[in-house]
Amino acid sequence: HIRALIKFRYRLIPYLYDLRWRSHSNYEPMIRPTLYDFPDDARCFDENDEMMLGGKLLVASVVEPGQRERQVYLPRGCAWIDFWSGERFAGGQTVSLAAPWDRPPLLVREGSIMPLNLAEQHFAQPADERGFAVFPPVGDGEVVDQFFEDDGLSEAYREQRYGLWQVKVVGDRAQLTLSVVRAGVCAPTADEVTVLLPRQETRAVRADAATVVADRIVGDWRELKLALG
């Protein structure tokens, strides 16, 4: 279980790295109470131990011995997607979620995009394969975001020498259109990326300035490989 959680942490590193960049550049807190992002929901001002990791991921820690489920209040104003199962919940309610050792309760704000490292990790053999987990609105909608990426070693970012991934998702009832653009002075060099959608997402997918070379169900996810133009 610990090994699985360590691997999951490595998968999240691009998201955590981008949050560090937002903290550095915009003074945006990485970890914050739910009232920070949902100030109009009075329930978020009640004493609780839920927290937001960035503006997208709701974390409900499990700290009691033997506890294998957790009651989680979902702030109103948006829908929430279980990161592990893809199940969708309306905001403004309390739900009961399973809390096994290797899958702590995590919920993603609908309309979010999260950068991930999908490479298999081995001791002393760092590997990086960029992917994006996308949680699009159920109906019509558009999601646009961008994510910081640099060489991870130098301080060249101080001279604006870094790259950006610009990701856009446009959806309607029948189709999703994906756009992934490499930008910045030192734009990312990957020529292929993986997009993960909840496996419940069955709409047709097309890509702008890219080619969908694979579309399959892998575990709890619908996995799309995009060859970038």
Side-chain angles (χ1 to χ4, degrees):
H1 297 310
I2 293 173
R3 181 172 62 243
L5 288 170
I6 290 172
K7 287 186 174 182
F8 178 61
R9 186 242 178 200
Y10 272 92
R11 175 166 283 209
L12 285 181
I13 280 180
Y15 179 61
L16 300 175
Y17 202 71
D18 181 71
L19 292 183
R20 289 296 301 269
W21 170 250
R22 294 173 191 243
S23 175
H24 166 79
S25 58
N26 299 323
Y27 307 103
E28 181 179 331
M30 292 179 62
I31 298 174
R32 59 259 204 148
T34 54
L35 61 86
Y36 179 93
D37 291 282
F38 301 93
D40 296 328
D41 188 340
R43 286 284 303 277
C44 292
F45 288 80
D46 294 342
E47 183 177 356
N48 69 84
D49 60 355
E50 297 174 14
M51 64 183 179
M52 295 294 296
L53 179 57
K56 302 167 184 176
L57 193 60
L58 176 63
V59 180
S61 300
V62 175
V63 296
E64 297 296 333
Q67 187 174 345
R68 293 295 175 266
E69 64 178 8
R70 167 69 200 254
Q71 298 291 310
V72 184
Y73 176 70
L74 306 178
R76 59 182 174 84
C78 65
W80 296 88
I81 312 299
D82 187 308
F83 183 90
W84 306 109
S85 70
E87 186 176 358
R88 183 179 184 273
F89 301 95
Q93 64 170 323
T94 298
V95 298
S96 180
L97 297 178
W101 280 101
D102 56 344
R103 291 195 168 194
L106 298 172
L107 294 115
V108 186
R109 195 173 183 169
E110 186 179 65
S112 294
I113 303 169
M114 295 177 58
L116 302 172
N117 179 5
L118 300 181
E120 183 70 23
Q121 302 296 319
H122 299 281
F123 183 72
Q125 298 178 24
D128 187 58
E129 177 188 336
R130 187 59 62 249
F132 299 94
V134 178
F135 303 85
V138 170
D140 298 348
E142 178 178 298
V143 183
V144 180
D145 212 335
Q146 66 178 17
F147 306 100
F148 175 84
E149 187 160 310
D150 65 3
D151 61 18
L153 298 171
S154 73
E155 295 192 0
Y157 71 90
R158 297 184 185 275
E159 301 172 355
Q160 307 302 307
R161 298 185 60 79
Y162 57 83
L164 295 169
W165 289 102
Q166 297 175 338
V167 185
K168 180 179 179 179
V169 183
V170 180
D172 58 29
R173 293 288 178 181
Q175 179 178 266
L176 294 174
T177 301
L178 303 175
S179 172
V180 180
V181 176
R182 297 158 295 188
V185 174
C186 298
T189 59
D191 55 11
E192 183 178 271
V193 297
T194 299
V195 173
L196 300 178
L197 297 167
R199 66 176 297 152
Q200 295 89 337
E201 178 57 74
T202 60
R203 283 175 283 186
V205 175
R206 63 177 295 272
D208 277 344
T211 303
V212 179
V213 296
D215 184 349
R216 58 179 185 159
I217 298 296
V218 179
D220 296 318
W221 299 94
R222 180 181 175 187
E223 180 184 283
L224 296 99
K225 295 279 189 181
L226 303 186
L228 304 179

